Amino acid sequence: LFSLSVLSEVIKARKMNNGLRVAGGVAKKNGGSKAAKDMSTRAAYQGIQFLKSYGQHILKNPAIVDSIIQKSGAKSTDVALEIGPGTGNLTMKLLETCKKVVAIEYDARMVLELQRRVQGSPYQSKLEIIQGDFMKVELPYFDVCVANVPYQISSPLTFKLLSHRPQFRSATLMFQREFAMRMVAKAGDAQYCRLAVNTQLLAKTQHILKVGKNNFRPPPKVDSSVVRIEPRKPPVQVNFREWDGLIRLCFGRKNKTLGGIFRTKTVLELLTKNYLTFKAVKVNLLDDDAMELAEEEANNKEKRQEVKDHVKELIEKVLNTNGYVEMRSSKMTQDDFLQLLAVFNEHGIHFVG
């Protein structure tokens, strides 16, 4: 005769054959219908349905979790920031490694799951959870950032991190693979783009690890990659709005020569408008007569044409400096762009209005 305990285990095993073990018990296997499959992709894992609208794809492979933590360079004295911790697989490893972990999570269900995982453990006092939208919360101090990033906010999230002060030591972030490869691309690479130039102005970037889509639950449609980002110290001294304005123009047609880009009617109109705006700001600090003259130049058709011709001459002077006229954005480095911006600004040409 079976004992009650053995009988209980047999019943439990039968249940497991009909479903997936989850934190709240067993998630039943769905039938073969399309509706059932759609439900299963929403993922009952630990009793939680993952939402695509939140970019929730939970990293389930412990070997990759360990590799990310190792490559992050996190130390026992560090405060680690995690963005979108989900059910806490990375979080628990960070808690084993670091002095403290600050986790920013938007989804209240995930917050409860994180609290459940550390409750009554030595890690409970080491974990601080901030519930809210990462793009809106004020970031605390941290030494390192480790995160499986919600893909739909990859770019703004990266630049919010890089604008944080005091600077952190490094960020080890999981991105959609295509985004990651564009971020780490170098001048001359096919994927070299505005994202690469802007990120690498502010930080050193390194591709660390490719992660296949089957390492996530539910699996996303594409593979992922882990990138390590180290802010440049000291930071490059540049007006970032001016810089980004220049880079936007240059990478609108990255394989054209700079001469081909800056001689177009659209770009000439934009730079003339900016020129007049900067002139108006300067004369605003002077007398009323100077203000009236500036307004006349901006509104009078003949005067405006004179200004446009002058701006055109200034652009030609810049293009004929250092051989810029034949350069192509796709092959230019950060130093090339910094020098180009400096020469434009010296000639009174600006990229913000």
Side-chain angles (χ1 to χ4, degrees):
L1 293 176
F2 285 117
S3 69
L4 286 176
S5 61
V6 172
L7 183 60
S8 174
E9 288 300 314
V10 170
I11 293 170
K12 190 174 181 181
R14 284 178 179 173
K15 283 184 178 179
M16 289 309 299
N17 286 333
N18 292 324
L20 171 72
R21 184 186 295 275
V22 296
V26 174
K28 296 291 184 182
K29 283 185 178 177
N30 293 306
S33 70
K34 183 176 185 303
K37 287 179 181 177
D38 288 344
M39 284 297 292
S40 69
T41 59
R42 292 176 67 183
Y45 170 67
Q46 297 184 332
I48 298 171
Q49 285 185 338
F50 298 131
L51 304 176
K52 288 184 180 179
S53 59
Y54 290 176
Q56 290 173 342
H57 298 281
I58 306 302
L59 184 59
K60 66 180 184 179
N61 187 331
I64 292 177
V65 171
D66 289 342
S67 181
I68 290 171
I69 299 298
Q70 179 187 357
K71 293 177 185 299
S72 73
K75 302 175 183 177
S76 60
T77 54
D78 284 341
V79 175
L81 176 71
E82 186 181 9
I83 305 156
T87 56
N89 293 343
L90 265 174
T91 317
M92 299 307 292
K93 285 294 181 181
L94 281 171
L95 286 167
E96 290 178 13
T97 306
C98 301
K99 177 177 69 176
K100 179 181 178 181
V101 176
V102 180
I104 301 176
E105 176 57 62
Y106 183 79
D107 191 338
R109 302 169 307 151
M110 300 297 180
V111 171
L112 289 173
E113 177 63 18
L114 277 177
Q115 291 171 336
R116 184 196 67 79
R117 288 190 74 168
V118 299
Q119 189 173 17
S121 76
Y123 299 136
Q124 187 170 2
S125 61
K126 296 173 64 176
L127 176 63
E128 177 186 347
I129 303 174
I130 300 173
Q131 185 179 347
D133 182 342
F134 172 81
M135 296 308 300
K136 295 178 181 177
V137 301
E138 184 176 346
L139 300 184
Y141 171 87
F142 61 96
D143 299 294
V144 294
C145 177
V146 182
N148 176 14
V149 173
Y151 293 160
Q152 65 268 37
I153 61 167
S154 295
S155 184
L157 178 149
T158 300
F159 289 105
K160 178 170 180 175
L161 283 176
L162 288 173
S163 66
H164 180 65
R165 296 294 182 271
Q167 287 182 306
F168 53 92
R169 189 170 73 251
S170 70
T172 305
L173 307 175
M174 178 100 69
F175 295 116
Q176 190 176 45
R177 181 164 175 78
E178 181 188 355
F179 181 91
M181 299 316 292
R182 288 193 293 120
M183 176 180 281
V184 302
K186 304 299 181 186
D189 292 347
Q191 292 169 305
Y192 192 54
C193 61
R194 183 171 149 243
L195 171 67
V197 176
N198 281 342
T199 307
Q200 293 172 37
L201 172 76
L202 303 173
K204 298 175 184 176
T205 61
Q206 180 185 4
H207 181 264
I208 296 293
L209 181 68
K210 180 182 177 181
V211 183
K213 56 189 175 184
N214 291 329
N215 291 289
F216 298 88
R217 183 183 287 116
K221 293 180 179 179
V222 296
D223 292 335
S224 302
S225 277
V226 180
V227 174
R228 182 180 169 93
I229 298 172
E230 297 180 18
R232 296 193 183 277
K233 297 179 181 180
V236 174
Q237 297 301 308
V238 65
N239 181 323
F240 193 76
R241 290 183 64 213
E242 281 271 348
W243 166 270
D244 191 50
L246 169 66
I247 300 303
R248 279 176 185 272
L249 287 180
C250 290
F251 278 89
R253 293 286 187 274
K254 70 175 185 178
N255 291 314
K256 287 184 69 174
T257 64
L258 295 184
I261 293 170
F262 285 96
R263 286 168 176 159
T264 61
K265 182 179 179 181
T266 305
V267 172
L268 179 58
E269 285 285 354
L270 173 66
L271 297 184
T272 299
K273 180 182 175 183
N274 291 348
Y275 181 85
L276 287 167
T277 299
F278 266 80
K279 188 171 183 180
V281 170
K282 283 185 178 180
V283 298
N284 190 35
L285 302 175
L286 302 176
D287 53 37
D288 292 340
D289 290 340
M291 273 295 294
E292 287 179 14
L293 182 60
E295 288 177 8
E296 184 183 353
E297 285 182 339
N299 299 321
N300 182 285
K301 192 172 181 180
E302 285 185 17
K303 291 285 185 181
R304 189 179 179 88
Q305 185 58 49
E306 288 178 13
V307 174
K308 187 186 290 188
D309 291 340
H310 179 57
V311 170
K312 190 174 181 179
E313 290 176 8
L314 294 175
I315 291 172
E316 287 298 323
K317 286 181 181 178
V318 172
L319 291 175
N320 289 314
T321 304
N322 298 331
Y324 290 131
V325 68
E326 294 298 329
M327 286 189 181
R328 299 175 195 273
S329 304
S330 59
K331 310 226 180 256
M332 293 173 65
T333 66
Q334 275 75 23
D335 286 342
D336 292 331
F337 286 116
L338 284 169
Q339 291 169 8
L340 177 62
L341 179 61
V343 176
F344 267 121
N345 287 170
E346 285 171 9
H347 285 77
I349 303 296
H350 295 274
F351 296 89
V352 289

